[in-house]
Structure formats: structure tokens, C-alpha cells
Amino acid sequence: MTDSDKSFQLCENKDLVLPAKRIAFLTLKEWLKEMIDELDVIVKNQVQLTIICDEIFTNIVDYGYPQGNGTIAVSAKYDPSKNLFELKFVDSGIEYNPLLAEPPSMNCPIEQRQVGGLGIFLVKKMVDFIEYQRENGQNILIIKKYLIKKA
Amino acid sequence: MDLEMEKTGNQLCVSIKGSIDTITAPKLDQTLKEQLNDVVELILDFSGVDYISSAGLRVMLTMNQSMTDSNGKMMLKNVNDEVKEVFEMTGFDSILSFID
């Protein structure tokens, strides 16, 4: 097995199931950090992937499970030939497509803006691909991002 | 996230260490609100901040508004490139004040 295959396998095998509670983001953050450290990518990529996870996870907790009961499954894939990292979030909460959320109005004064739409706005800015599906009563959100290795 | 505070007259300097995210932003919000009574100048030292998410942006917005409403001002210093990029992406760089 080559090092590249190992990286792919490493991420492929690291699935995570978390309770739909904000505090569980700490576990998600550690899980992500462990993987990203292995991939040896630039700090900007590490920071952006952490923010992406924060925004998506918090969104599912708030909108998918307002009662606070449920789980969120997160899985990761990495394609070393393209330096392409993929994260998949699956939950069985209320049907919610974050891609349909109203973007924050960038024309009105910032003091009057609704901060609510900012999370998904940030995610869209930071990823190279994002897709939402509703299948078998589950919300599935997939993001992909090209990473840059440290020099 | 750890906070270190130093008050000199009406100036409050808060050094933030760690992440301002969905977990820590409420603590930052609450701590700052408790300290702002007679503060005219609020300086947030970001030298120890590794990232900020939208929950943290919300705190920056409300604190900045709160200081403006009381004729005070809020300034951010030592903001790293990654955090600055988040402010730029969201347009927050146009309203927040930055010092070196």
C-alpha cells in the first residue's frame, strides 16, 4: 500500500456519529484535526475546514433537531491524486436544505444585517463543491474542498 | 478559549486565546457584557485567536454596536491572516476597527 492509499484509507475509515448537541462539536473538531494533521496541509485549509464543520454541525443541531434529540453522522474521504477532501454530514432530523437559506444581504448596512445566514454563506465561500440531498428521511450534505500541502 | 483582562481607567483590553466558535462565543459574549459598564474603549487582542466562526462574528457585531451606542469604541488588534480573511469575506472588515 502506498502512502497515498494509506491517507485515503485513513479518512475513509474514520466515520463519526455524534449526539446532536452543540458541545459535541468539540469531538468533531478533534476528529477533524487528527485527520488534517496527517494530511499536512496549509494552516488556511485547517482553519477553513474547522469553520466549515462548525457551521454545518451547528446548523443541523439548531434546525434539524430543535428538540435536541438525535444523532449526526460525519464521514470523510480524501483523494490524494487531486488533494480533494470530502466531508459528508447525515442526519435524520427535520428536512432542511441549508443551500436554500436566504443569503445575508450584502447591500444593507452591516449593523442591520441578519447574522443568521452568515454561517452557510461562509461555508459556500470556503468550499469548492456543496450538495444537499434528502433521501430516506435523511438530510445529506456533502462538501468538497481542494487542499494545498505545506511547502 | 481563555480570556485575560486588563482595565486601565475606562479602557478594557481583553486578550483572547483559542477559538471563537459555537462553543466559546456565548462565554465571550457574556463575559464582555459583564465588564462593559463604564468602558469607553474596548480593545480585543486577537493574537491568540486561531479562528472565528459565525457565532463569533455575531458577538463582534453586538459588542461593536453596544460600544457605538454608548459613544465608545471597539478595536481589534493583532488579527492573523486567516481570521482577517473571514472578516473580509463577510464584510465585517468595513465596520470593525483594526489597530496594529
Side-chain angles (χ1 to χ4, degrees):
Chain A
M1 186 184 284
T2 65
D3 283 350
S4 295
D5 290 338
K6 246 165 68 186
S7 304
F8 186 83
Q9 196 113 22
L10 174 81
C11 294
E12 186 80 45
N13 288 340
K14 286 201 169 183
D15 292 356
L16 188 67
V17 178
L18 297 164
K21 310 270 185 202
R22 278 188 183 226
I23 195 72
F25 170 67
L26 292 176
T27 308
L28 174 58
K29 191 173 157 182
E30 276 306 306
W31 174 84
L32 181 74
K33 184 179 183 307
E34 210 174 283
M35 267 186 301
I36 298 299
D37 284 350
E38 288 273 342
L39 297 177
D40 201 31
V41 296
I42 60 170
V43 174
K44 182 177 167 176
N45 285 164
Q46 296 176 19
V47 166
Q48 291 194 344
L49 283 169
T50 308
I51 293 172
I52 289 164
C53 279
D54 182 331
E55 303 299 351
I56 294 176
F57 186 78
T58 304
N59 231 28
I60 298 171
V61 170
D62 289 350
Y63 296 104
Y65 296 107
Q67 306 301 323
N69 299 319
T71 56
I72 301 168
V74 192
S75 58
K77 277 187 194 174
Y78 176 65
D79 180 348
S81 67
K82 297 176 185 163
N83 273 335
L84 187 62
F85 190 75
E86 177 184 315
L87 282 169
K88 184 178 180 184
F89 295 80
V90 181
D91 69 84
S92 301
I94 295 167
E95 181 170 0
Y96 176 68
N97 180 354
L99 305 185
L100 297 179
E102 283 288 314
S105 168
M106 302 312 263
N107 294 324
C108 71
I110 194 165
E111 300 91 332
Q112 294 167 22
R113 272 186 217 161
Q114 294 299 311
V115 188
L118 267 181
I120 198 67
F121 174 80
L122 268 177
V123 171
K124 285 180 180 172
K125 284 265 185 184
M126 290 175 175
V127 301
D128 295 299
F129 171 90
I130 186 162
E131 182 186 58
Y132 170 83
Q133 302 158 12
R134 179 79 180 174
E135 276 178 17
N136 303 320
Q138 292 186 313
N139 296 302
I140 302 168
L141 189 71
I142 297 169
I143 68 99
K144 293 179 187 178
K145 184 172 178 62
Y146 289 101
L147 303 181
I148 301 168
K149 293 270 188 184
K150 280 179 191 163
Chain B
M1 181 192 65
D2 290 316
L3 301 175
E4 267 178 38
M5 282 180 254
E6 191 179 335
K7 197 167 181 189
T8 313
N10 290 326
Q11 184 195 75
L12 176 67
C13 183
V14 183
S15 299
I16 309 168
K17 289 188 172 49
S19 315
I20 311 177
D21 58 24
T22 187
I23 305 285
T24 60
K27 177 188 168 189
L28 178 65
D29 186 54
Q30 188 185 344
T31 307
L32 290 179
K33 277 179 182 160
E34 286 168 2
Q35 300 291 328
L36 284 187
N37 278 343
D38 55 348
V39 172
V40 175
E41 195 173 272
L42 173 64
I43 299 173
L44 300 178
D45 187 341
F46 266 59
S47 55
V49 176
D50 49 9
Y51 76 88
I52 184 167
S53 67
S54 66
L57 292 175
R58 185 180 291 115
V59 177
M60 292 302 115
L61 193 61
T62 54
M63 283 305 137
N64 192 65
Q65 193 60 51
S66 179
M67 291 305 296
T68 304
D69 289 348
S70 58
N71 295 317
K73 56 182 175 178
M74 181 178 100
M75 287 168 289
L76 277 59
K77 72 173 186 179
N78 301 322
V79 179
N80 73 29
D81 289 346
E82 287 76 27
V83 174
K84 195 169 277 177
E85 193 177 16
V86 172
F87 287 133
E88 288 168 356
M89 277 180 181
T90 51
F92 276 58
D93 60 320
S94 64
I95 186 170
L96 300 175
S97 302
F98 299 89
I99 52 174
D100 290 329

